Amino acid sequence: MTDKNTSSKYSKEYKLSISNPKLFDAIKMAIAILIALAITFVILCLISKDPINALKTILLGPLSKRRYIGAVIESFISFAFAGLAAGVLFKAGGFNMGAEGIFIITGAVVAWIASSPVTSSPILHPILCYLGAMLVGGILMILPSFLKAKFGTNEMVVSLMLNSIYAGVTAYIVRTFIATQQRGSVSSKDYLASARIGYLYEPLRISACFILLIIVTIGLYLMMNKTKLGYQMRLAGVNPKFAEYSGVSAFRLSITTAVIAGVLCGMGSTTQLLTQTSYYTPAQSLVGIGFSGMLLSMLGKNNPIGIVIAAFFIKYLEQGAAILYFVDNAVPSEIVSIVEGIIIMLISSQYFLRRLRERQLLKEGLEEHAK
Amino acid sequence: KKEETPAADTPAETTPAAEDDGVTKVAVLIPHRGDQSYFDTIAGAADEVNAADNNITVDVFECDPNGEKAEANWMNWFDNVCEDHQYDLVVCGNGDYEDFLYKACEKYPDQLFFNYDYDYIPESGIPANCYSTKCNTAELGYLVGALSASITKTGTVGVVVGMDTQSMNQFISGYCQILTANDVKYVVSYPGSFSDTALGKEVTDAMIAKGADVIWQVAGGLGNGVIDACSAHDDVWCIGVDQDQYMQFKDTNPEWANTILTSALKNTGVPLKAFIQMVADGNYQDKLGKAEMWGIALDGVGLAENDFYMANTDEATRAKLAEVLASVVNGEVKVIDCLTDWNADEYAAQWPTLLAGNRVE
Amino acid sequence: MSETILKLDNVTKVYPNGTVANRDINMEFEKGEIHSIVGENGAGKSTLMKVIFGIERPSSGTVTYKGKETDFNSSMDAIKAGIGMVHQHFMLIPSFSIVDNIILGDEPKNGIFIDKKEAAKRCQELSDKYNFELDVNAKVSTLSVAKRQKVEILKTLYRNAELIILDEPTSVLTPQETDKLFDQLRSFKEQGHTILFISHKLEEVKKISDKISVIRNGVSKGTYLNEELTMQQLTNLIIGRDLDNDMNAYKTNEDFHGEKALQVKDLYMERNGKPVLDHMSFAVKAGEILGIAGVEGNGQQELVRCITGLEETKYTGEIDICGNVVNDLKIKGRRNLGMAYIPEDRMGDGIAGALPISDNLISTYYDREDINGKIFMDTKAIRKTSEDLVDTFAVKTKSIDTSVNSLSGGNIQKVVVAREYNTHSKFMIAEQPTHGIDIGSEEFVHHKLIEMRNAGAGILLVSANLNEVMSLSDRIIVMFDGQIAGYFPKAQEVNESELGMYMLGARHQTPEEIGGALND
Amino acid sequence: MLSSIFSTLFSMRFLVTIVRLATPIVFAAIGTFIAAQSGIGNIAIESIMTFAALASVLGSYLSGSAWVGVLFGIGIGIVTVMLIAFFSMKMGANAMLIMIALNTFADAVAIFVLYLVTGEKGTTASLTTPVLGSIDIPIIKDIPILGEILSGQYVLTYLCWIIVILLFIFIYKTPTGMRLRACGLNADAARTAGINVEKMRVLSLVLSGIFAALGGIYLSLNYLKIFSRGMVSGQGWMGVAANGISAGNYWILILSALIFAIFRAVSIIFSSNSAIPTDLVNAIPYLAVFAILTIVSIVNYYRVKRGHVEEQ
Ligand SMILES: Nc1ncnc2c1ncn2[C@@H]1O[C@H](COP(=O)(O)OP(=O)(O)OP(=O)(O)O)[C@@H](O)[C@H]1O
Ligand SMILES: Nc1ncnc2c1ncn2[C@@H]1O[C@H](COP(=O)(O)OP(=O)(O)OP(=O)(O)O)[C@@H](O)[C@H]1O
Ligand SMILES: [Mg+2]
Ligand SMILES: [Mg+2]
């Protein structure tokens, strides 16, 4: 071993070939998107008179007006929080599907605080809403993880059950404690004006929540990749037995990640309510935000930045398809979901070009071995 | 009978904004089709208007297929239909969405709006560029109660209500009122869903087991389960809701149709079509800023009096019903309306008593 | 009779990730011979066997079996052709009975049903025929490792395999069990079976083989008749140098003032109402290696789990690490007091396979100051530490960013040992530390253990490999049935057969003799 | 009021209700179970049930035969699982992601198709569809108490319980069943025993798709006579949860599915009285399962602590 520059000996290689995993992933993704678009186009041919324009609308429509892209920005934030919550849980190997229920029940907390005259400060009031939802979310998310870590109770089943239970409890709370008579369905009183979150840059509907999301995402990225906690999560996510052997307390870790995920759900829920609603109507059935979050986290490979990008991408697509539906009323509104589904399935496919890459690796492997 | 609310201010002189090319363009925003309830009624009315030869086009937009009720999404849709002044009239409604509608009214003061089903009147009154109507379901329930009372053989009837909400309970406040008054027992069930048909069926079965022989459903898609359960018993009548459900199933599923004596029609399409016509004719001004209840008298609600109903009810029953109808129309009877009569506190205090009336648990 | 049954021509196997595991391998195997294949970890032995057995397809080259070029799509084809394989890692389903494991994939039928009776009968007959002494209706999860090994072999015999591949079958067996296995292998040979035998234990290879082939770095280094080769030549062929076997020569004996690294007092634990640890008391002093010998399943695992803090079942007694009672501490607390632990199941407990080598090299001290900043972990320091360890322990890899599971078994074990070594602990539990690793690596690991001992660490060595226990330990305990059956204060003075008597429960010392283990 | 609840709980009708409500949940449960046996967690049951519920009605309408409708439904179930198999096995996608995507978009896809065929988005009410009936078993139906439960049930309810028994035999008594289980318990071991693991998994997925589809078909073509938007309403998830509770034990699986049905029936009792706030009535089955599962796992935990270890 030469003492000069040891680190280069073990450092990563960067080469411009499909054997380079990063580059390969990018190419794969591009091809997946192309195929997805091709399939979408075929479907559009069946239902639209002007399929080329329709496809163009889906892809570019959101850019045609600032308000469109503003709508994407406004709606993707809470969605991204759901993805981040799932990402944190998955990263540590958990299978807690409780985000759905937490989103719903923290909504009641937000509505309660937002509709009560706790403060008149337009800065403090939303912050109190956030804190309340984060606190309750963090605490309630613990239950499935606690039962799993302590008693080995099936986490998935427990969290699924709790989602439905929380939905019922939320409706009960809203009805009993914060209902208003105005609306026919069970919904909260209007939030006070001080609780609503305003825009920092109205044309693009950028609010403080956007900045919150960026901060949280970077924070999570650093946490997952640079801190001891993130390291513990990686260990437990890949091999829980090894994590235990290494002295990572599975119990503490799963509680910690559950709390973080719950807090993120609380943030998402608060963001959604205070930017997109002015009173809270608890969902009559589960709306699936928890599952959407899981989708995002898988699309983003549990990487916070990837998750946020995926969230934006999906909301962008939804907006594009919604614009198409608006301009071409003959297209059924369900086209939004169908396009989304196709693209998600194809993007998640790993095996595009696998043969080609294997051949390349084989060649390079033999060359190297010969040396 | 009309309940008129004075407009907040003198109505602004609002003219249809779109180019006057002789075609009246209407946009209808509903969350989605297929609720088998009044959104379908609205969409159906829109389709009828389109089909008629009248120089009116109605575009129906499904704005919220997942029922997320996000305000931002709805406001986007209002922006979509309002910002370019493409439409002479923008229609939306339902307690869940009317707040958004009123906000849009404020944002687009030059645009004409119509609320086909209001739950409340804002403190500031109905906006001056909007007309709001409501079909009086309390009266409807009263009528159904009267019919149920007069045809039950067992002395027990029942109703399946999808969700326990104030606007759903509006349907049954008159129902409970008249049944209690007539000393007829009734079962009320809240399965807590508008889609779980299996639950609807079993809930109804349980009602039948308690002796109910006339069962009304106010439960959207779940109501299909109610109809199915009733159809299995020769001596049990079902009463449909919103649309004429006998006609809906007559050709395709006679077994079901033959159990549906009549349906409680919530004719949301009636005020909608009426107002569209007024806009087309240009004589809508005096409606602006108003909220009006469309009750039995205005055909806003009523029972479906199809051939099957005629064939299966006797003269006496129909006469009795006409009497009840008259007493409601001429104000002899005050039908209790749990939604519009009571504020939150009153509702909390009085609804349980009204519901408990002659209820069988 | 020298009929060629299997012939490899220029077999090359490149894994899809670019690893060249075999390159231009030419070999010939004759019917009725026991042919060993030896080589370092990662040399490509298992891969070659997988190619023969149809699990992997060769990237180029041909395999000719019984004169016909094979084109196996899966192991099913190989099995049909009469090849059987006992894999390096057990391929058994623990919750199935022995019968079910054996007949899986080739079940006797009665109509549409499995003919359980017939199956049991056939399996029992087979077991009896080869003197395997198995109750074929027992569940595999209840079996000892040696018995599981037998089940694996029965699986191949059940399918009338003519060519039986055994990939490291002896790594978990006691000497007696190995001898028995060899008797059976010889009888297979007499009945015309051909055996391909892979092992890192060269004495065994010398004992059993007719021919020996050596693979190094994916390339064949030739086939030799057993008689042609001395042990030393063989060693040289494999690792390119000689080995030194006498570990005692490296031991130094400084005085650590009788400090105790570990003290176990009156440890008792029950499972399903039966004692699995039966009032054990012993101590490990600083600067010594205490070996625990015993047939697997006599409480060693439970003992280790109790000491490390991984045991979930309640136990009584006292465990004391570096002078602190640790009964109430979890593994992290015990590690903080100076415990290091090389686990037996390195794939399950010892690594996170999908993570890079660097992550795996710091897992047990990831929170230590030298690799952490105030908030974030110190990436540079981690890389430096990892690179140093990879260098010192000669882990064969291109980069510390490679995921661990792409390393060969020996190199994975080096990663585990390097990590535990780098905790600089006062007390180390080494559980089967050289299981399945090649002679070069084994020697290396042994040296490292001695080095730690010389530096004052107390080491508890738990191993099924008697040679290892005897050559490394200062003192030896034999465990039988959850008890200390024998205690030998001078490891150099005991012999294999004596230990064997205690291991099998034929002898038991008096409480007074055993009391010495506590070292008071 | 309490007495009326009790009298209902112990009435014959209550048992019959349970049998009817159990059918789709049991189908969903065995559908999840069979996939899990080969090592695949099929959580797409809910979407398969939805697709099959619609497809069977459309099939029955198009062909004029209910049984052809059943085949249609089963066919769609198979197509859906093959889609999962294709993406996860051939395209290397995360199977869980594909299944969640399916669930997420199932309703939209079903409504899209419904709209294309009928022009409506709510029900198939506008189609005349032959449906499956129920069966009276000649002698048994006259036996006082038993007759009410055992006779007069829906065709697919009988099929369901027949399948429950046949499936048990298949999984535990036949060679294919054993191989299938082996794939789930140790895929490498199965592979080295010469079993084509991928093929076995596809087989188990196909069975899973068929059972889940039957659950959906039961809802739309037998129990009710119509496809109605959102009619599956979480019954597929109850099957998935039942599988989670079963921990691989077939009869616990069936028992869990029955518990869901029982508490669904209990929630029906409470839906028509004021004993429990109406918002919470729907949560009853979930609450019950949550409570049972938690208690069982706590009891198990303390058993292990005291040194009782189940033989694997
Ligand atoms: N990319 C690869 N290149 C080379 N060998 C591989 C690769 N992936 C897996 N293998 C090896 O091939 C064998 C079969 O792998 P496969 O992934 O099909 O099985 P598995 O991981 O047991 O399946 P499952 O994850 O579905 O249980 C394994 O022994 C594995 O080591
Ligand atoms: N599935 C796989 N994918 C990629 N590389 C692999 C795979 N399996 C083995 N390798 C690599 O191929 C080489 C040969 O491995 P193999 O398991 O054949 O070695 P071995 O001689 O059996 O070693 P050991 O003595 O440790 O068992 C090693 O470098 C190993 O890392
Ligand atoms: Mg090997
Ligand atoms: Mg090895």
Side-chain angles (χ1 to χ4, degrees), chain B residues 15-21 23 25 84-89 111:
Chain B
T15 45
E19 288 298 307
D20 201 357
D21 51 2
V23 177
K25 287 191 75 188
D84 294 332
H85 292 273
Q86 300 176 45
Y87 292 100
D88 299 288
L89 175 65
Q111 174 72 55

Side-chain angles (χ1 to χ4, degrees), chain A residues 65 175 181 183-185 325, chain B residues 83 96 99 119 164 342:
Chain A
K65 277 187 192 166
R175 176 198 301 275
Q181 188 256 348
R183 280 168 288 272
S185 58
Y325 167 64
Chain B
E83 68 183 354
D96 281 336
D99 282 3
D119 270 0
D164 181 7
W342 295 335

Side-chain angles (χ1 to χ4, degrees), chain C residues 15-22 39-50 56 88-89 167-168 198 200 215 346 396 405-411 436-438:
Chain C
Y15 278 111
N17 63 5
T19 308
V20 182
N22 295 141
E40 283 180 296
N41 289 122
K45 306 178 294 292
S46 296
T47 304
L48 191 62
M49 297 306 115
K50 285 181 187 170
E56 301 283 358
Q88 184 168 354
H89 308 284
D167 195 352
E168 298 191 39
I198 297 179
H200 290 296
I215 302 185
R346 64 172 161 256
K396 208 176 113 189
N405 53 13
S406 69
L407 298 180
S408 72
N411 280 303
I437 66 178
D438 66 44

Side-chain angles (χ1 to χ4, degrees), chain A residues 65 67-68 71 74 175 181-186 196 205 276-279 281 284 325-326 329 333, chain B residues 60-62 71-72 76-77 79-80 83 95-96 99 103 119-120 163-167 339 342-344:
Chain A
K65 277 187 192 166
R67 138 177 116 66
Y68 288 154
E74 188 167 57
R175 176 198 301 275
Q181 188 256 348
Q182 289 177 344
R183 280 168 288 272
S185 58
V186 179
R196 294 295 308 262
R205 303 199 190 167
Q276 299 185 53
T277 67
S278 50
Y279 60 88
T281 312
Q284 283 155 349
Y325 167 64
F326 173 60
N329 205 206
S333 58
Chain B
V60 178
F61 295 105
E62 298 171 74
E71 179 177 331
N76 284 333
W77 272 101
D79 288 340
N80 284 347
E83 68 183 354
D96 281 336
D99 282 3
K103 281 189 181 153
D119 270 0
Y120 78 107
M163 292 261 177
D164 181 7
T165 68
Q166 217 163 325
S167 65
L339 181 65
W342 295 335
N343 66 24

Side-chain angles (χ1 to χ4, degrees), chain A residues 10 226 231-232 234 245 361, chain C residues 16 341 351 359 366 377 391:
Chain A
Y10 295 112
K226 304 276 175 212
Y231 179 78
Q232 294 178 351
R234 258 178 288 152
Y245 154 90
L361 280 171
Chain C
Y341 171 34
I351 55 161
D359 273 353
Y366 65 91
M377 296 182 88
D391 277 340

